Amino acid sequence: MHAGLVYVAGQLPIVPGEPERRLTAFEDQASRVLDNVAAILAEAGSGLDLIVKATVYITDVAHWPAFNAIYAEKLGAHKPARTVVPVGALHYGYLVEMDVIAALRD
């Protein structure tokens, strides 16, 4: 945290309490990574509704429509600045990774 902001970096779709469990479907991974980010933000005194910037790394640009749908479902009307970056590969063979910057709640 710094200057009223929380920085969440390198979040993968790891299932809390089950790090060896591997979600295979992109949609499941995208949902999990957003849930993980939400949990971290809540613990820090923030939330998905306070994200000001998101960077999403996906292993195939073909996943973009699926990610957009899940992102819109989780964030609702909130539309922070966002960059989606297609990459060749991610750590541990995951299909999606996410960084966010969010404001802290008052």
Side-chain angles (χ1 to χ4, degrees):
M1 290 185 267
H2 176 73
L5 297 172
V6 60
Y7 297 82
V8 180
Q11 289 309 297
L12 295 166
I14 296 170
V15 179
E18 300 179 59
E20 70 288 341
R21 182 173 168 207
R22 301 286 182 193
L23 302 173
T24 55
F26 178 82
E27 292 80 0
D28 294 338
Q29 288 192 29
S31 183
R32 171 49 52 198
V33 83
L34 282 158
D35 289 347
N36 290 352
V37 167
I40 293 165
L41 290 175
E43 186 67 26
S46 185
L48 294 177
D49 61 320
L50 294 171
I51 293 174
V52 296
K53 172 72 170 92
T55 305
V56 182
Y57 306 93
I58 57 176
T59 59
D60 189 331
V61 74
H63 293 309
W64 196 324
F67 186 83
N68 276 340
I70 294 163
Y71 186 85
E73 176 186 319
K74 301 267 185 187
L75 273 71
H78 183 55
K79 306 271 191 246
R82 180 183 65 168
T83 303
V84 178
V85 183
V87 296
L90 292 169
H91 204 55
Y92 304 118
Y94 285 113
L95 305 175
V96 60
E97 183 173 339
M98 188 172 185
D99 299 339
V100 302
I101 301 169
L104 293 170
R105 293 204 186 280
D106 294 333

